[in-house]
Amino acid sequence: VLISDFYSVYDSVACPQQKCLIHLMRDVNDDLFHNPFDEELKQLGQRLVAVLKPIIDTIDRYGLKQYHLHKHKADVNGCFRYLSGQTFGSELARKYQKRMLKYRDKLFDSTS
């Protein structure tokens, strides 16, 4: 499995891929730091944290066992339903919405 950032050249590599959630979080945090009054970006970031924090807590407690990670699937799907249903006015929020929806299958393992 190739784990990469969101540089588009990696999309052409023919192998299983996972996009790095740390890079996604870093990018969102950087943009929030530079745009602290972008409420839509803040809301999107909060949704992302609401999904990732419990997953990280589960991994810290149980490791990467599918049995324990499977319980987060509904939250991940809910996050993507939220993203799919939003019409953001913020250019930055739209950018992350597009990125996350484009790489939906590469952000979270669909078996978890």
Side-chain angles (χ1 to χ4, degrees), residues 17-18 29 33 63 69 73 81:
Q17 294 186 31
Q18 171 102 27
N29 282 334
F33 179 77
L69 290 171
K73 190 173 186 175
R81 275 192 306 277

Side-chain angles (χ1 to χ4, degrees), residues 14-99:
C15 70
Q17 294 186 31
Q18 171 102 27
K19 294 300 179 186
C20 180
L21 293 167
I22 300 298
H23 279 93
L24 178 61
M25 290 187 311
R26 181 204 60 201
D27 292 347
V28 171
N29 282 334
D30 285 349
D31 281 333
L32 276 170
F33 179 77
H34 291 99
N35 301 278
F37 302 110
D38 188 331
E39 292 299 321
E40 290 179 322
L41 181 59
K42 190 181 298 184
Q43 183 181 28
L44 189 147
Q46 289 171 337
R47 290 281 183 145
L48 182 59
V49 167
V51 170
L52 290 178
K53 176 140 179 27
I55 292 172
I56 292 167
D57 291 343
T58 297
I59 292 169
D60 285 346
R61 186 167 183 189
Y62 301 107
L64 294 169
K65 295 186 170 97
Q66 182 179 352
Y67 175 80
H68 295 288
L69 290 171
H70 185 71
K71 69 180 182 179
H72 300 290
K73 190 173 186 175
D75 293 333
V76 169
N77 289 334
C79 181
F80 283 111
R81 275 192 306 277
Y82 161 78
L83 287 171
S84 296
Q86 291 299 310
T87 304
F88 291 113
S90 160
E91 182 179 336
L92 285 170
R94 284 193 309 270
K95 177 182 91 169
Y96 286 107
Q97 177 187 38
K98 182 179 176 183
R99 181 191 289 187

